[in-house]
Amino acid sequence: MSLFESYEDEIKVSFKQFEQIAAGFPKLLPEQKQPELDKLENLLSTIEGNLSSLNLESNRTGKSTQQYFTQFYAAKRTYQQFKDKYQDEKNYADLIPSQYHDFNTTGSQTQRDRVIRGNKTLENGIQMIRMANDQVREDKRTAESTLEQLATQKERLIGFEKKFDSIDGYLDRAKKTIGQMSRRAMANKFIMAGIILILLAAIGLLIWWKFVRTGGDSNNNNNSSGFETTTTTSTTSTTSSTTTTATTTTTTTSDSTTGTSTTSGDKII
């Protein structure tokens, strides 16, 4: 058993004893009430000491002790009511003339006693009023403190709500930004694909143009070579014919299209 639980059990036992005495107090005779009031006062003192110790333990353990304090204040009010009622009954009994008193010899002393008891009653009433005022002030301070805490919690909740709203706004902006970035990324991909296709088409055109131009240059070179060979042959034949007093005329026709040549000659003696 922890120290907190031991104090708690002692307080419960003291409250139980207090309730038992308080339940039978109205039925007691006037001369029996004072000892019972003393017992109630001792029990309240014991409960108050245990509550102080219990409050220290509650600060360490975090357990609530509010119900015990509420019960203690109620018991204290009950005790004060019993005490005031008993005092009023006693003062009233003292004020009533008794056949066993000799007022001719003790009148002055009795009057002084009455005045003293009346003053004590007034003092007790004033004390009760002061205690009630103190309790009201304490309750007022507790209520004000509670209201301040509630106002602080309200401000915190409002601040949290504003922060959550701003976070939602940031999230919406982030979603929009991510969507724009995705669309731009897709557009960039399409643009890159188009550029690559254009480059591939340009490269294909360049390669095709290079092959076509190379083929044309080869045909022109072949035609030029056939013409030069025919001219050389004709010159040689003319030189030989002049030596034998014969003239030979050679005509060479080259077809540039088919790449063939035709030679015809006339012999003169």
Side-chain angles (χ1 to χ4, degrees), residues 22 47 57 67 72-73 80 87 92 110 134 140 142 155 158 179 182 187 201 206 209 232 235 244 254 265:
I47 293 171
E57 288 296 320
Q67 57 178 349
F72 171 72
Y73 292 138
Q80 191 64 41
Q87 190 67 38
Y92 181 76
T110 303
D134 293 338
K140 184 179 179 181
T142 303
E155 292 177 357
I158 293 172
S182 299
L206 290 174
W209 175 255
T232 303
T235 304
T244 58
S254 298

Side-chain angles (χ1 to χ4, degrees), residues 70-253:
T70 303
Q71 192 174 359
F72 171 72
Y73 292 138
K76 199 171 182 179
R77 286 193 296 270
T78 301
Y79 166 75
Q80 191 64 41
Q81 290 174 0
F82 287 158
K83 185 177 180 180
D84 295 338
K85 188 175 181 180
Y86 168 73
Q87 190 67 38
D88 292 339
E89 291 176 354
K90 186 178 178 181
N91 293 334
Y92 181 76
D94 292 337
L95 291 174
I96 295 176
S98 176
Q99 60 181 351
Y100 299 105
H101 291 96
D102 188 6
F103 292 99
N104 294 325
T105 58
T106 60
S108 300
Q109 185 66 30
T110 303
Q111 188 176 4
R112 285 195 296 270
D113 292 339
R114 290 175 182 176
V115 173
I116 292 172
R117 293 190 186 96
N119 291 333
K120 288 183 178 180
T121 303
L122 291 175
E123 290 177 358
N124 291 331
I126 293 171
Q127 186 68 25
M128 287 180 62
I129 293 172
R130 289 176 180 173
M131 290 177 62
N133 289 332
D134 293 338
Q135 185 65 34
V136 169
R137 291 192 191 96
E138 184 177 357
D139 293 340
K140 184 179 179 181
R141 286 194 295 269
T142 303
E144 291 176 352
S145 177
T146 303
L147 290 175
E148 291 177 357
Q149 292 178 359
L150 290 174
T152 304
Q153 294 294 331
K154 181 180 179 181
E155 292 177 357
R156 290 180 180 177
L157 291 175
I158 293 172
F160 288 152
E161 184 177 1
K162 291 180 180 179
K163 289 181 180 179
F164 289 150
D165 293 337
S166 62
I167 290 172
D168 291 336
Y170 291 146
L171 290 175
D172 293 336
R173 292 179 185 176
K175 289 180 180 178
K176 292 180 181 179
T177 303
I178 291 172
Q180 293 177 357
M181 292 175 66
S182 299
R183 290 192 292 271
R184 289 178 182 176
M186 292 297 294
N188 291 333
K189 288 181 180 179
F190 287 131
I191 292 171
M192 291 296 295
I195 292 172
I196 290 171
L197 291 175
I198 292 171
L199 290 175
L200 290 175
I203 291 170
L205 288 174
L206 290 174
I207 293 171
W208 178 79
W209 175 255
K210 183 176 182 181
F211 279 118
V212 170
R213 187 174 181 181
T214 302
D217 292 339
S218 298
N219 291 332
N220 292 330
N221 290 332
N222 290 333
N223 292 333
S224 298
S225 298
F227 181 76
E228 290 176 357
T229 303
T230 304
T231 304
T232 303
T233 304
S234 299
T235 304
T236 305
S237 298
T238 303
T239 304
S240 300
S241 299
T242 302
T243 304
T244 58
T245 65
T247 303
T248 302
T249 303
T250 304
T251 303
T252 303
T253 302

